[in-house]
Amino acid sequence: MTLENLANELLLDLFEYFRAVEVLRSFYGLNSRLNELISKHFLKHRLDFHRSPKKDFDLICQVYLPEICENILSIDLSDDDDIPGEIDLFLSYGWTLDRFANLRSVTFTNIRYGENICDILSQCQQIIHLNLTACYFGYSVRNIWNSIWALPNLIYCFLSLVFKDDYYLSIPNQCSTSIKHLTIIGISFQIGPLQAFCERTPQLEYLSVDLSPRSISESIQTPIESISKLNISIIDVQSNTIENLLQHTPNLIELKIDSCYPDLNGYEWENLIRNYLPKLEQFQLKMKFQMFNPNQRDQLLKSFQTPFWIKERQWFIQFHFNLDDKSNMIYLYTLPFSFTNFDLYFPLQIQTTYPNDDCYEQVQRLSYRCSLQTEEIITTNFQFSNVTHLNVTLPFNQNLILLTEKLLQLTSLDVSKPKNMSSHHSFDQLQKLIDSTNCLESLKFSSWSESDMLTPIALRTREISRVHLRGYDHYFTDEDCFRLSQSSLGKSCRILFIKVQTRSNIIELINSLPNLQSLICQSKDDYWQFNITAMKDPFIQWLNENLNKHNCSIKRDLRYKHSIRIWIDI
């Protein structure tokens, strides 16, 4: 059977197994029927260039995009490390977002500095969804709030922002009557600005923010009645601030709190809910705090065993701790677990009010460490079926292996080690951990010493495409680069983070790593200074001259100035 004999429904299902770039590159232009189906495909799926070689990006912007731009409903533009400089290249081809007549959703990921973001947002008058994910801004975007709040049709807004300095949160002059769903990450709100933001967003129904400890002396004065769903992260905020906030959000149906202090017990939470939240139906809680006395732990459990928790609401909690942990930290959370991050420090002690098997389907990022002296196997019912990222501090024991047998979705691994751990032992453990995974794509070395240099070169790996070696206290030499190019890790690598001795090592890596698409590097002989402009950067000029045949996009990172970002045309 030929491809053309497949029903339209089967072809559309087939397209879903490919990235957007692969759909266009593989099927567009074969015949008019496939072209129509591809246009229909993009009515439901976003266009993004994630992990694309530069030549594919160039081809789509120049050839395919003019034919399908009116059918694009969602687009993702990024300056991420696997496609560095993508947004600048996109704009250099003359593309503006107002040319996408039916565009409804825009995502910007890992913007560096973002001087032109307000101009780009002005082209998005028709969008309903806006996502700014892990974006870094400097001084020139103080009016970003007005640019967003001026979008007349915006309903869903997700903002994950980092600013150059300690940023003072300005209040939008605009009043948005359309935004209903708002998430802001990376900026800690004081109570005063939080109330002002809500006043500028009168239709707001869902709010997710970080609450600042600087809000101790402030309070909300008038009720925020529009919000029915509230998700807050708080660090070291006093209980009276939490009480003031809940007192002025009387229409909450769902409340989710992730906190590091205060240590409110079950009796205190019960009083807050009874007194201020008569409509509350769903309560999700995660708290991290210190508790020194074992009797206090028993009393803590008891406070969540009242009829209010067990019978009336059927809200259950669990907490775990490590007796070897000198900080005496307690991790308390409601079950089923509803947060994306989870921390484990073995050996665990667990106390719970939950009558069923533990459920952790929402966990995507898992952090693991264990006491150096323990070999005890702890039997738990943890089920981390959807974890994609694992952060491990070596050494580990059999508890982690038991957990990783259930980590079928794991794609990213970040490994740290203490200085007193031998290279041989750390290598054996890391190899064992990698062997227990099935679909690992990213490997990051954090806090590794120069004496462990043989570890990444000697590892036996499947196709790990993203390798982060800048966690080594070492600049790779000519010999190191050659040995890396001969290793299984180097041969499969598509995105490489590395520190090198000389600029010639950069040329060597690009020439010797067959699948390399993106190189994020720092060279010891790069003597960049603050008075050097992009037009007169001798290091970038040298790279352009010596990589001319590769048609690379070469940029200095506007956030980390000694980092060079190269997108390779392969």
Side-chain angles (χ1 to χ4, degrees), residues 80-204:
D80 202 357
D81 289 319
D82 61 347
I83 40 178
E86 178 202 270
I87 294 178
D88 289 341
L89 282 173
F90 181 82
L91 297 174
S92 72
Y93 284 122
W95 285 104
T96 56
L97 293 182
D98 51 11
R99 292 180 60 182
F100 297 79
N102 293 301
L103 192 64
R104 294 296 178 266
S105 177
V106 176
T107 297
F108 297 101
T109 306
N110 280 291
I111 290 177
R112 300 297 211 271
Y113 226 69
E115 290 93 338
N116 56 2
I117 186 62
C118 293
D119 292 334
I120 296 175
L121 288 174
S122 68
Q123 306 162 8
C124 302
Q125 299 298 302
Q126 73 276 38
I127 66 169
I128 297 172
H129 295 254
L130 173 65
N131 298 302
L132 298 180
T133 303
C135 294
Y136 173 76
F137 296 116
Y139 298 112
S140 59
V141 288
R142 301 288 179 168
N143 59 344
I144 186 173
W145 307 109
N146 288 331
S147 299
I148 296 173
W149 261 247
L151 297 174
N153 299 300
L154 185 64
I155 296 175
Y156 303 93
C157 184
F158 178 92
L159 307 174
S160 173
L161 310 176
V162 178
F163 287 88
K164 182 177 181 179
D165 298 309
D166 187 14
Y167 178 70
Y168 176 74
L169 184 62
S170 58
I171 307 302
N173 296 326
Q174 297 278 344
C175 181
S176 172
T177 58
S178 61
I179 296 177
K180 295 182 178 181
H181 194 285
L182 176 63
T183 297
I184 302 178
I185 298 173
I187 297 173
S188 292
F189 276 82
Q190 299 180 52
I191 284 292
L194 176 62
Q195 180 172 3
F197 253 79
C198 293
E199 291 172 352
R200 297 289 194 278
T201 323
Q203 302 301 316
L204 193 61

Side-chain angles (χ1 to χ4, degrees), residues 309-355:
W309 293 100
I310 303 300
K311 294 183 179 180
E312 180 181 335
R313 299 301 180 97
Q314 296 186 6
W315 292 338
F316 305 100
I317 65 97
Q318 176 170 294
F319 59 83
H320 66 256
F321 53 93
N322 185 327
L323 293 176
D324 297 331
D325 184 5
K326 295 181 180 180
S327 67
N328 294 287
M329 297 303 296
I330 290 277
Y331 297 83
L332 182 146
Y333 38 89
T334 51
L335 291 177
F337 194 79
S338 59
F339 299 83
T340 57
N341 295 348
F342 196 79
D343 296 330
L344 289 173
Y345 185 7
F346 277 91
L348 289 179
Q349 301 288 325
I350 299 173
Q351 293 182 247
T352 184
T353 67
Y354 195 53

Side-chain angles (χ1 to χ4, degrees), residues 486-527:
Q486 302 302 305
S487 68
S488 59
L489 200 62
K491 290 177 181 178
S492 63
C493 178
R494 291 191 302 103
I495 305 161
L496 177 62
F497 301 76
I498 195 170
K499 296 184 296 187
V500 296
Q501 281 282 351
T502 67
R503 63 191 70 186
S504 62
N505 297 139
I506 298 174
I507 310 299
E508 178 186 349
L509 288 169
I510 291 176
N511 287 331
S512 62
L513 299 181
N515 293 299
L516 193 64
Q517 294 181 10
S518 176
L519 179 62
I520 316 300
C521 56
Q522 179 179 342
S523 181
K524 200 170 186 178
D525 65 350
D526 178 10
Y527 305 110

Side-chain angles (χ1 to χ4, degrees), residues 36 79 87 142 159 165-166 173 243 257 301 334 340 392 419 428 452 475 496 523 527 530 564 570:
E36 291 178 4
D79 197 18
I87 294 178
R142 301 288 179 168
L159 307 174
D165 298 309
D166 187 14
N173 296 326
E243 181 175 4
I257 297 180
L301 185 69
T334 51
T340 57
V392 178
K419 292 182 179 180
D428 286 345
D452 298 306
Y475 286 84
L496 177 62
S523 181
Y527 305 110
F530 283 96
I564 306 297
I570 62 172

